[in-house]
Amino acid sequence: MTNLKIPSHIGIIMDGNGRWAKMQNKKRIFGHEKGAEVAEKIIQYSTDIGVRYLTLYSFSTENWKRPKDEVNFLFKLFIKYLETRLRKIISKGVKMRFSGNLSELPQDVQKSCKKIQEISKDNKKLDLIMALNYGGRQEIINAANNAIKNGKSEITEDDISLNLYLPDVPDPDLIIRTSGEIRLSNFLLWQSAYSELYFTKKLWPDFTENDYLEAIKEYTKRDRRFGGIGSDENANR
Ligand code: IPE
Ligand code: IPE
Ligand code: MG
């Protein structure tokens, strides 16, 4: 553990709940239930190892394409977690925040989100960001439109960065995706320009603290050049 570089901001695309359930001849919703338990463990572990921001991709703007029953189940699960398990987690210094177009969500989901955000707003240990009805393209369009509303006729990089849903949150250092899919699926498109990407075949309900640590170990080995020259070359100059 000693030489691990802990990323300041980790984003996770928690994928594979449906396939996990199918493998055990269960309905997809069982996978979501197990997935929520795993998320809770990973949040707890993130606070233990000193991650400062954790963004969990929980519902994408494209997930509305799923059967109505599944979508409704997910919303019920979010409310249940926000009202119970996450309440416990925020008592340990976690600040709950949300990223996405919340106004399109059912009223009771919006209410639970606002409540927990308000209760935890002064916490400083970990910013836990739930990406809910989130789409990276929509976020960029929204930012550009905000800049135009503020009188801009030509958009700069800062105009986008400063008008994102959560402009104070630094770009993710590491993005993890489970389930073997090698894509971003509209997650943090603007912010991921220089993120380190880590893909694992593990399905989200099977993901453990140890798998998380493996991802961080791999991140520790990466040389982040940001378009410059490597740190080794710098040392030899
Ligand atoms: C991720 O698991 C959870 C959400 C998108 C809400 P999936 O439900 O996408 O699981 P698979 O990809 O179908 O296995
Ligand atoms: C991405 O997973 C969205 C979330 C994890 C919330 P999807 O399962 O929706 O992504 P695709 O459809 O496989 O790209
Ligand atoms: Mg999926």
Side-chain angles (χ1 to χ4, degrees):
M1 279 284 274
T2 39
N3 291 323
L4 273 192
K5 255 197 269 170
I6 303 295
S8 168
H9 182 182
I10 300 181
I12 308 184
I13 304 172
M14 309 179 290
D15 197 16
N17 294 351
R19 277 163 282 172
W20 182 87
K22 201 174 167 198
M23 275 169 60
Q24 2 222 332
N25 288 319
K26 286 187 171 155
K27 288 187 180 160
R28 294 178 54 84
I29 58 171
F30 283 96
H32 295 315
E33 238 158 19
K34 182 71 185 10
E37 284 171 27
V38 171
E40 192 182 338
K41 270 197 233 151
I42 295 300
I43 296 163
Q44 179 62 55
Y45 194 64
S46 300
T47 61
D48 293 345
I49 61 175
V51 175
R52 184 60 190 81
Y53 300 88
L54 175 66
T55 301
L56 298 180
Y57 203 7
S58 308
F59 191 85
S60 78
T61 44
E62 286 72 38
N63 287 149
W64 294 101
K65 291 179 193 163
R66 297 183 177 208
K68 221 172 164 11
D69 277 0
E70 181 170 342
V71 171
N72 286 339
F73 179 86
L74 282 169
F75 291 152
K76 265 202 231 138
L77 188 67
F78 295 150
I79 294 176
K80 188 174 130 193
Y81 260 77
L82 289 168
E83 300 287 339
T84 58
R85 319 297 288 252
L86 290 176
R87 284 282 178 115
K88 222 186 267 166
I89 282 174
I90 61 167
S91 71
K92 291 176 183 144
V94 173
K95 177 171 170 177
M96 249 330 284
R97 307 178 70 181
F98 297 87
S99 184
N101 188 351
L102 292 197
S103 67
E104 285 174 358
L105 294 170
Q107 285 297 330
D108 49 357
V109 178
Q110 289 188 45
K111 230 170 106 185
S112 287
C113 293
K114 281 186 193 136
K115 203 158 49 173
I116 198 155
Q117 192 168 279
E118 180 56 31
I119 305 172
S120 66
K121 69 178 190 313
D122 296 324
N123 288 348
K124 300 210 158 45
K125 198 158 186 198
L126 167 82
D127 281 28
L128 170 60
I129 300 151
M130 216 171 149
L132 211 50
N133 196 20
Y134 175 88
R137 287 185 172 180
Q138 291 80 348
E139 182 179 34
I140 295 167
I141 291 165
N142 183 63
N145 281 328
N146 279 343
I148 291 167
K149 271 186 221 141
N150 293 334
K152 287 279 178 165
S153 53
E154 201 171 308
I155 306 273
T156 65
E157 204 171 304
D158 270 357
D159 289 326
I160 302 294
S161 295
L162 298 171
N163 282 291
L164 294 172
Y165 294 132
L166 301 173
D168 63 297
V169 174
D171 292 344
D173 302 292
L174 170 65
I175 293 179
I176 299 171
R177 183 174 187 146
T178 58
S179 91
E181 308 300 346
I182 317 287
R183 56 177 171 265
L184 287 174
S185 302
N186 211 5
F187 185 54
L188 302 178
L189 295 185
W190 179 269
Q191 299 89 325
S192 61
Y194 271 102
S195 301
E196 295 299 327
L197 308 180
Y198 180 87
F199 300 98
T200 168
K201 287 205 165 74
K202 274 272 177 102
L203 303 173
W204 179 249
D206 287 329
F207 193 75
T208 62
E209 285 100 332
N210 213 38
D211 295 323
Y212 194 44
L213 211 50
E214 276 306 312
I216 296 172
K217 273 187 198 153
E218 164 70 27
Y219 168 83
T220 301
K221 286 192 243 157
R222 303 263 179 103
D223 187 12
R224 303 187 75 190
R225 290 192 282 275
F226 298 99
I229 58 174
S231 49
D232 284 353
E233 280 114 301
N234 257 330
N236 293 333
R237 259 167 15 127

